[in-house]
Amino acid sequence: MNQTTPAPGERLKRVLRFMPAPVGIVTSFDPDNGQPVGLAMSAFMPVTLDPPAMAICVNRSGSAHDAMIRAGRFCINLLRTGQDGHVTPFADPAARDARFSQDDWRQHVHHAHNGVWYIEGAPAAIFCTIRERVSFGTHDLLVGEVDDLITSGSDDILGWANGALCRPAPLS
């Protein structure tokens, strides 16, 4: 029986499905009309503390990409238990009409981030200004300098592992 080995991209996708990562809603806005945009993602990470910076990976064909680039700003909203209802409207195009419909969405008032939406009560809302953009394959890696941060004090962060939302916890 002749079995073909899947391409490296398909094999990597299988591995990444089981690799735990934080999950959040990354938001920005369309500077032409002020409308909020966003997407659910686990493709974000810290870059450096001096200056404080975060990186996100955004698919160039995604609905939020162009507005985010034109706005030059984004916010990473980490989620906690009980905020998992925010994920589906941003992950499922069929639920798009429910985006920004929960009553805990707020518009940030900050000289660098007027117009960027965040989730009040989230463990963290990390506001960034795009400083670097690197295109690779289908995505842009955006490095954002952290301009402001709102935290709730909660360390209860939702994650993604084994193809589902999870709550990462210490082993002991």
Side-chain angles (χ1 to χ4, degrees):
M1 180 178 269
N2 185 10
Q3 290 184 336
T4 60
T5 302
E10 283 301 311
R11 294 191 329 251
L12 180 60
K13 186 176 181 179
R14 289 180 192 161
V15 169
L16 294 178
R17 176 180 171 86
F18 298 102
M19 191 169 79
V23 67
I25 306 298
V26 176
T27 58
S28 189
F29 66 96
D30 186 326
D32 294 336
N33 60 25
Q35 292 298 306
V37 298
L39 61 154
M41 78 164 50
S42 61
F44 55 85
M45 65 179 212
V47 176
T48 180
L49 294 176
D50 188 18
M54 297 290 292
I56 62 173
C57 292
V58 182
N59 191 319
R60 285 191 299 281
S61 68
S63 63
H65 177 272
D66 291 343
M68 187 177 299
I69 295 299
R70 285 184 284 113
R73 300 186 287 269
F74 62 86
C75 177
I76 301 169
N77 292 276
L78 296 180
L79 303 174
R80 63 172 165 72
T81 303
Q83 292 179 323
D84 51 301
H86 285 284
V87 175
T88 299
F90 291 92
D92 180 357
R96 168 173 266 139
D97 290 343
R99 292 179 179 183
F100 300 100
S101 64
Q102 294 91 343
D103 62 3
D104 54 356
W105 282 106
R106 302 289 180 267
Q107 200 166 13
H108 193 40
V109 179
H110 182 272
H111 71 280
H113 290 282
N114 282 339
V116 179
W117 290 79
Y118 71 99
I119 302 169
E120 185 176 57
I126 307 167
F127 298 91
C128 300
T129 297
I130 298 171
R131 298 293 184 214
E132 296 287 337
R133 176 181 174 187
V134 177
S135 294
F136 189 83
T138 57
H139 285 62
D140 278 345
L141 171 73
L142 305 176
V143 177
E145 186 172 353
V146 177
D147 299 312
D148 200 12
L149 186 69
I150 298 173
T151 61
S152 68
S154 173
D155 61 359
D156 177 20
I157 307 262
L158 284 183
W160 185 261
N162 299 329
L165 290 171
C166 67
R167 204 170 142 228
L171 291 175
S172 55

